[in-house]
């Protein structure tokens, strides 16, 4: 039994080291190839459309719903202490610093991370990645870099939109359900939120974009044994990206607090 | 002069040895038929010649350049002159037939879009694919996909072409068409290696053969030599007496 546990742990550890090594190599290759000319703007625009424009409805619904729920919970919770006027500040601050960027990133990981891993995995299975190589092109340049860049461009924008929509959702519930004057609610958001709140959330999205794009591309490119593994790669991409976002969020939040104090 | 020279080639997947001590060469303008039973590693050998698989031993020379240890970035230039025709076509399914054929030209040539268009039209006619320009791979048959894949491999007019089962699954008319195209390219001095189970095509286009069995090349010889030796392994393979 002990041997079995030791063996499983060893296997797990080896897998994790391979994964970490693979991510480092893939990031290195992206940096190397990314600066080489020619740069393919058309592929980047296509990816921005695929991962960005098409993710917008999902972000809209998620952030709107979260803003509404938060306003409702804070409102009813604070009502007994006479704290309803603090709802706009609380909702805005939580959305801007944490919930907006993080939930957007998690939804993005589920939709886009899964899409990237399965698409690239299918391309590996159908030998399209081999064909790119055989035709004298680099799959890193043609497939990975446009997706990574698209995520880096799109996720911060989606998070910015999520911040606005989330607060709008809070405002709607605040005025309709909690009877807080809409103008008062709006003014409180503007007065009490500051650029530091916004930047600490917004800044994290660039890291989250990398946490989603690089592992998803890695798992897709490492599909080996047919279509069954495409599903496995997709699952691994979503789980890994989500974990990286959640764990990374803690450390990034700490770093941003230190930076805020320092500045 | 040998355009392709393989010496003591070895390839393993984990503990499984696929090839050990495989050696052969192909001279300019020659077509070598690489034959053998299913699972003997013919495609693996072909993929290694273009750097899609890394050899575990031995050397591969293409135009006198040792390529077995080349880095991926160094392969990019070499692959402009050595083409690989995939067994299933390996077409980009997000692109139309036209875009698939235009891909290598857009990547590596300085032709204008009208020149590219003219070249593609002519290529599609040669392969009996006229009218399929705007179709996606999912909208054409498997045989047509294979022909588009072949047409794409030939777009850059390479010096060497590696054919992986180019006629498998094709009807006799299109098989003959592919044979004629291979012969036409051969007449232009294109060097080729043909992996196939379609022995009539192999005998029609190949100058010599190598027979892979039990991880090594068991027999090599010119087409004439092998045709005239009823006891040769290739002869017995064609007759279905050995695997």
């Amino acid at each position: 039994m002990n041997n079995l546990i030791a063996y499983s742990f060893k296997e797990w550890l080896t897998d994790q080291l391979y994964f970490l090594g693979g991510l480092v190599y893939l990031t290195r290759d992206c940096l190397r190839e990314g600066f080489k000319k020619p740069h393919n703007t058309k592929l980047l625009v296509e990816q921005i459309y695929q991962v960005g424009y098409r993710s917008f409805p999902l972000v809209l619904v998620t952030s709107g719903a979260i803003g509404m729920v938060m306003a409702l919970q804070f409102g009813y919770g604070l009502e007994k202490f006479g704290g309803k006027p603090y709802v706009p500040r609380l909702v805005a601050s939580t959305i801007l610093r944490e919930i907006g960027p993080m939930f957007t990133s998690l939804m993005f990981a589920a939709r886009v991370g899964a899409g990237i891993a399965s698409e690239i995995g299918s391309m590996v299975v159908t030998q399209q990645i081999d064909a790119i190589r055989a035709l004298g092109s680099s799959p890193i340049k043609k497939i990975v870099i446009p997706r990574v860049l698209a995520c880096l461009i799109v996720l911060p924008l989606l998070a910015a939109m999520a911040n606005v929509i989330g607060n709008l959702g809070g405002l709607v519930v605040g005025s309709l359900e909690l009877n807080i004057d809409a103008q008062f609610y709006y003014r409180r958001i503007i007065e009490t939120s500051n650029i530091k709140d916004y930047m600490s959330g917004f800044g994290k999205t660039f890291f989250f974009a990398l946490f989603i794009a690089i592992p998803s591309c890695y798992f897709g490119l490492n599909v080996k044994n047919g279509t069954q593994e495409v599903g496995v790669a997709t699952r691994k991409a979503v789980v890994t990206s989500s974990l990286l976002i959640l764990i990374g969020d803690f450390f990034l939040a700490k770093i941003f607090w230190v930076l805020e104090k320092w500045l | 002069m040998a355009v392709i020279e393989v010496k003591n080639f070895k390839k393993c997947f984990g503990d499984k040895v696929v090839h050990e001590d495989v050696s052969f060469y192909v001279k300019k303008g020659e077509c070598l038929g690489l034959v053998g039973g299913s699972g003997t590693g013919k495609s693996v050998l072909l993929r290694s010649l273009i750097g899609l698989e890394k050899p575990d031993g031995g050397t591969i020379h293409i135009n006198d350049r040792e390529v077995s240890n080349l880095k991926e970035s160094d392969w990019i230039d070499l692959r402009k002159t050595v083409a690989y025709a995939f067994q299933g076509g390996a077409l980009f399914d997000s692109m139309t037939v036209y875009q698939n054929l235009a891909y290598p030209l857009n990547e590596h040539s300085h032709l204008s879009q009208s020149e590219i268009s003219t070249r593609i039209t002519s290529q599609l006619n040669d392969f009996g694919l006229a009218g399929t320009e705007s179709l996606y791979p999912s909208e054409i048959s498997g045989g047509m996909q294979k022909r588009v894949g072949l047409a794409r491999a030939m777009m850059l007019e390479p010096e060497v072409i590696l054919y992986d089962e180019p006629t498998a699954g094709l009807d006799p008319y299109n098989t003959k068409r592919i044979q004629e195209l291979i012969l036409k390219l051969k007449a232009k001095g294109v060097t080729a290696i043909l992996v196939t189970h379609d022995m009539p095509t192999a005998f029609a286009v190949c100058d010599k053969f190598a027979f892979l069995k039990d991880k090594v090349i068991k027999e090599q010889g010119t087409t004439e030599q092998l045709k005239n030796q009823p006891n040769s392994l290739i002869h017995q393979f064609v007759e279905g007496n050995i695997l």
Side-chain angles (χ1 to χ4, degrees):
Chain A
M1 186 67 184
N2 281 349
N3 280 348
L4 193 70
I5 293 170
Y7 177 75
S8 301
F9 177 72
K10 197 179 151 195
E11 207 175 25
W12 177 84
L13 194 67
T14 314
D15 279 354
Q16 302 314 306
L17 289 174
Y18 265 112
F19 167 66
L20 286 175
L23 284 193
V24 171
Y25 275 119
L26 188 58
T27 311
R28 181 203 65 183
D29 290 346
C30 285
L31 289 170
R32 259 191 204 162
E33 299 271 332
F35 292 105
K36 279 187 199 163
K37 285 187 178 175
H39 303 296
N40 204 326
T41 324
K42 197 181 155 213
L43 285 176
L44 177 62
V45 172
E46 264 175 33
Q47 284 306 313
I48 288 175
Y49 173 77
Q50 288 292 337
V51 306
Y53 181 72
R54 292 194 160 183
S55 300
F56 183 67
L58 184 70
V59 171
L60 185 113
V61 173
T62 315
S63 53
I66 286 167
M68 289 161 88
V69 169
M70 279 174 60
L72 201 69
Q73 294 285 13
F74 280 135
Y76 288 147
L78 293 172
E79 200 173 21
K80 41 194 156 184
F81 309 109
K84 264 208 302 195
Y86 295 104
V87 170
R89 162 69 181 148
L90 275 172
V91 171
S93 174
T94 317
I95 284 178
L96 292 178
R97 280 190 173 269
E98 282 301 332
I99 302 294
M102 202 180 69
F103 266 84
T104 306
S105 302
L106 287 173
M107 297 312 289
F108 197 77
R111 187 188 175 274
V112 175
I116 289 175
S118 60
E119 188 189 5
I120 298 179
S122 304
M123 289 181 82
V124 171
V125 172
T126 53
Q127 292 191 306
Q128 291 179 59
I129 298 290
D130 280 343
I132 292 176
R133 292 170 66 201
L135 289 166
S137 311
S138 155
I140 301 290
K141 205 166 177 63
K142 290 280 164 191
I143 303 292
V144 178
I145 290 175
R147 281 161 179 77
V148 173
L149 284 179
C151 287
L152 272 169
I153 293 167
V154 160
L155 187 57
L157 292 175
L158 285 175
M161 286 179 205
N163 287 341
V164 175
I165 296 157
N167 278 304
L168 210 65
L171 187 145
V172 169
V173 167
S175 63
L176 296 179
E177 198 70 31
L178 305 172
N179 297 318
I180 302 173
D181 178 57
Q183 274 195 346
F184 170 79
Y185 194 108
Y186 175 74
R187 239 188 6 259
R188 289 294 293 163
I189 295 174
I190 301 295
E191 283 167 8
T192 55
S193 307
N194 56 41
I195 191 73
K196 283 180 184 173
D197 285 336
Y198 181 74
M199 288 313 290
S200 76
F202 184 75
K204 283 191 261 186
T205 55
F206 293 98
F207 295 94
F208 292 161
L210 293 175
F211 293 166
I212 296 166
I214 303 268
S216 302
C217 289
Y218 170 81
F219 285 121
L221 285 171
N222 280 281
V223 166
K224 284 192 172 67
N225 303 317
T227 45
Q228 198 187 355
E229 222 178 86
V230 176
V232 176
T234 308
R235 191 185 66 223
K236 279 184 180 173
V238 176
V239 171
T240 308
S241 307
S242 305
L243 284 175
L244 285 174
I245 290 166
L246 291 165
I247 298 167
D249 187 43
F250 171 76
F251 293 102
L252 289 168
K254 280 204 88 163
I255 292 169
F256 277 101
W257 273 116
V258 171
L259 281 175
E260 273 179 44
K261 281 181 189 166
W262 198 47
L263 294 169
Chain B
M1 190 189 86
V3 172
I4 302 170
E5 190 168 18
V6 177
K7 276 186 186 164
N8 313 114
F9 175 84
K10 189 181 177 189
K11 179 71 193 167
C12 311
F13 289 104
D15 297 335
K16 193 186 174 198
V17 180
V18 182
H19 300 296
E20 52 185 7
D21 206 18
V22 168
S23 301
F24 64 86
Y25 66 89
V26 191
K27 286 183 186 168
K28 185 167 171 54
E30 267 185 351
C31 179
L32 168 77
L34 196 57
V35 292
S38 299
T40 48
K42 303 182 292 294
S43 296
V44 171
L45 183 51
L46 212 57
R47 286 167 61 81
S48 303
L49 296 180
I50 196 169
L52 297 177
E53 301 284 352
K54 276 252 176 247
D56 293 303
T59 58
I60 299 170
H61 283 84
I62 293 179
N63 282 331
D64 278 338
R65 187 177 176 191
E66 156 69 314
V67 298
S68 53
N69 288 318
L70 278 190
K71 282 191 285 180
E72 185 67 21
S73 51
D74 296 326
W75 269 107
I76 287 178
D77 270 337
L78 197 67
R79 286 174 185 149
K80 293 172 196 168
T81 53
V82 183
Y84 188 99
F86 287 87
Q87 194 171 346
L91 301 180
F92 305 128
D93 51 19
S94 59
M95 295 182 189
T96 61
V97 167
Y98 182 94
Q99 288 167 334
N100 264 285
L101 295 191
Y103 183 91
L105 296 177
N106 284 328
E107 283 292 298
H108 303 301
S109 77
H110 299 287
L111 296 175
S112 67
Q113 285 308 309
S114 66
E115 286 169 318
I116 288 175
S117 173
T118 312
R119 212 177 291 155
I120 290 172
T121 308
S122 140
Q123 192 81 323
L124 287 171
N125 285 334
D126 285 350
F127 281 81
L129 292 161
T132 60
E133 291 89 334
S134 58
L135 299 177
Y136 283 90
S138 59
E139 295 171 324
I140 58 177
S141 71
M144 286 166 103
Q145 286 182 21
K146 192 185 267 288
R147 279 185 282 151
V148 176
L150 269 170
R152 185 181 64 183
M154 294 174 188
M155 284 308 285
L156 286 174
E157 298 177 345
E159 291 170 31
V160 178
I161 302 186
L162 310 171
Y163 302 99
D164 193 358
E165 305 262 14
T167 54
L170 294 185
D171 55 71
Y173 177 77
N174 280 307
T175 299
K176 201 175 165 211
R177 213 166 187 161
I178 299 296
Q179 282 179 21
E180 283 165 4
L181 279 160
I182 295 174
L183 288 169
K184 208 165 114 183
L185 287 167
K186 224 176 97 176
K188 284 184 187 170
V190 173
T191 310
I193 296 182
L194 172 71
V195 163
T196 189
H197 289 124
D198 172 11
M199 294 313 288
T201 297
F203 281 127
V205 303
C206 294
D207 301 296
K208 58 182 190 177
F209 284 90
F211 183 70
L212 261 175
K213 189 173 164 29
D214 300 332
K215 303 166 195 167
V216 293
I217 290 182
K218 287 274 186 191
E219 193 172 74
Q220 288 193 66
T222 64
T223 308
E224 284 309 310
Q225 280 172 349
L226 297 168
K227 266 185 177 171
N228 298 328
Q229 283 177 14
N231 293 329
S232 75
L233 288 171
I234 290 182
H235 222 96
Q236 290 180 51
F237 176 71
V238 175
E239 297 292 323
N241 295 330
I242 56 163
L243 183 66

